[in-house]
Amino acid sequence: QVQLVESGGGLVQVGGSLRLSCVASGRTFSRYAMGWFRQTPGKEREFVATIGYTGSSTNYADSVKGRFTISRDNAKNTLDLQMNSLKPEDTAVYYCAQQLTPYTALQPLSPKAYWGRGTQVTVSS
């Protein structure tokens, strides 16, 4: 029922930019907090950013603060991640997450969420 589909990943040079998108379906999108997480081979899933169900509240990992911007469009059921000033350490598969329960926050360190399949971001030096 719930489907999350990421897009926008690719290969980019250090200092470049990418914009990731996630299209959600199956539930009333505006009721659920959303987030972006990333993972590299052999490492645990890492929190990147979350956004509240209204879009007014955002939270970022220290490693991306000031460089990434999370946003949502509740009219279009979409979640975006604008990534600027990219670094090699940003290389990962990026996953879209939707909170399991409505009107609640997505917990960065212990997310209870539905997940997309991911989109690869590679930053070359």
Side-chain angles (χ1 to χ4, degrees):
Q1 296 178 30
V2 173
Q3 188 171 19
L4 304 169
V5 182
E6 303 95 336
S7 63
L11 198 158
V12 65
Q13 296 267 83
V14 170
S17 298
L18 282 175
R19 187 175 182 88
L20 306 183
S21 294
C22 172
V23 179
S25 61
R27 302 192 298 175
T28 303
F29 180 74
S30 61
R31 297 178 181 176
Y32 298 92
M34 302 289 294
W36 289 98
F37 294 74
R38 64 190 184 187
Q39 189 170 30
T40 56
K43 296 181 65 177
E44 292 291 310
R45 180 182 55 209
E46 177 187 22
F47 156 69
V48 175
T50 60
I51 187 166
Y53 63 91
T54 68
S56 62
S57 178
T58 58
N59 188 24
Y60 297 92
D62 288 342
S63 60
V64 307
K65 201 167 298 180
R67 300 187 297 120
F68 291 11
T69 302
I70 188 171
S71 61
R72 66 188 295 160
D73 187 337
N74 284 349
K76 297 179 179 179
N77 292 358
T78 57
L79 173 76
D80 295 311
L81 184 69
Q82 178 64 48
M83 306 186 295
N84 299 326
S85 302
L86 284 162
K87 306 174 180 179
E89 49 263 48
D90 294 319
T91 295
V93 176
Y94 283 71
Y95 296 93
C96 173
Q98 184 178 65
Q99 175 78 325
L100 286 182
T101 55
Y103 309 119
T104 58
L106 234 190
Q107 300 301 314
L109 301 182
S110 57
K112 305 294 184 182
Y114 290 104
W115 301 93
R117 294 291 183 127
T119 185
Q120 176 71 49
V121 171
T122 302
V123 184
S124 65
S125 59

